Amino acid sequence: GAGVSQTPSNKVTEKGKYVELRCDPISGHTALYWYRQSLGQGPEFLIYFQGTGAADDSGLPNDRFFAVRPEGSVSTLKIQRTERGDSAVYLCASSLQGAGTGELFFGEGSRLTVL
Amino acid sequence: SQQGEEDPQALSIQEGENATMNCSYKTSINNLQWYRQNSGRGLVHLILIRSNEREKHSGRLRVTLDTSKKSSSLLITASRAADTASYFCATDAGVGANNLFFGTGTRLTVIP
């Protein structure tokens, strides 16, 4: 497929568990973004990659959250010791160069539920 | 925070009417973008307007930007039931910035 792919689409876990969410961006897009969206709210910025490096990780809420993009393509968002407040839809987006020059293409999101 | 705010939070109109949504933001921008989100889905880009532009059209969409007031509006003309969705404005953090911050959204309902 040509779009941004996110897996899993749904994840239910227990409080305290470790979770990984994967994002496969559009081929050739150097910029990759992670957002978190709670019900009825707008997407909340978490982290932005340009290539392999995190250009801005100021939105990560605490050190339980970490994201990687080792080869400049697929990215994984990792959440340790999950809490009920982490329940949300995690959205990934990619862009050819970055939002400063063009649009973001979003995946369908990964819905995380922490029981 | 750079995050914008949309107004109104919710809007309900009859099919065929026009829908206007407003967005205010806080700091200088390079461009402003509008996105649409159907319930339970990802966001879809609608239109991008640059800081040196005042108005832009795309089909039934018309976007205005007033950088002196740090505000933008999205007008959807001749609305259709299929336009029912949430609409978000998004701003970057100025020239050279590639991050994007989203507003709180307007939930539009178009009644057939």
Side-chain angles (χ1 to χ4, degrees):
Chain A
V4 176
S5 175
Q6 289 189 248
T7 55
S9 55
N10 277 286
K11 175 71 177 178
V12 180
T13 190
E14 293 180 342
K15 182 175 178 293
K17 299 291 188 183
Y18 170 80
V19 166
E20 286 191 354
L21 305 176
R22 175 189 167 108
C23 174
D24 215 323
I26 293 172
S27 177
H29 282 194
T30 61
L32 185 146
Y33 301 77
W34 283 101
Y35 290 87
R36 177 168 72 173
Q37 187 175 29
S38 299
L39 190 64
Q41 302 295 313
E44 173 195 9
F45 167 74
L46 296 177
I47 187 169
Y48 151 58
F49 287 90
Q50 189 64 257
T52 60
D56 184 349
D57 65 357
S58 62
L60 294 177
N62 51 59
D63 61 5
R64 295 188 297 105
F65 288 75
F66 189 70
V68 295
R69 195 187 186 197
E71 297 178 358
S73 177
V74 171
S75 176
T76 305
L77 178 66
K78 307 180 180 192
I79 310 174
Q80 298 177 324
R81 304 182 303 281
T82 52
E83 299 177 356
R84 292 195 178 87
D86 298 336
S87 295
V89 176
Y90 289 81
L91 295 167
C92 177
S94 70
S95 176
L96 191 58
Q97 292 179 312
T101 53
E103 66 185 279
L104 269 56
F105 294 83
F106 279 84
E108 294 291 304
S110 291
R111 180 178 298 277
L112 174 66
T113 302
V114 181
L115 301 177
Chain B
S1 167
Q2 172 66 14
Q3 187 177 31
E5 287 191 7
E6 283 88 342
D7 166 56
Q9 289 187 333
L11 178 62
S12 185
I13 60 174
Q14 295 288 331
E15 202 166 31
E17 294 181 338
N18 296 341
T20 299
M21 289 160 269
N22 303 296
C23 166
S24 60
Y25 56 92
K26 296 180 181 176
T27 63
S28 297
I29 61 170
N30 186 44
N31 70 57
L32 183 145
Q33 304 183 33
W34 284 90
Y35 287 79
R36 165 198 168 117
Q37 185 179 37
N38 284 9
S39 182
R41 306 296 299 274
L43 282 79
V44 175
H45 179 263
L46 294 176
I47 196 165
L48 180 154
I49 186 166
R50 303 200 181 280
S51 59
N52 61 354
E53 296 176 310
R54 292 295 168 259
E55 188 170 312
K56 202 162 182 181
H57 297 253
S58 177
R60 293 184 295 113
L61 305 181
R62 173 179 169 252
V63 168
T64 62
L65 179 64
D66 186 336
T67 53
S68 67
K69 295 181 179 178
K70 293 186 169 60
S71 68
S72 173
S73 67
L74 171 67
L75 168 68
I76 304 174
T77 60
S79 64
R80 304 167 182 169
D83 294 330
T84 294
S86 292
Y87 292 82
F88 297 92
C89 69
T91 54
D92 58 30
V95 175
N98 282 307
N99 210 338
L100 201 65
F101 299 93
F102 284 82
T104 51
T106 292
R107 173 69 189 169
L108 173 67
T109 302
V110 181
I111 303 166

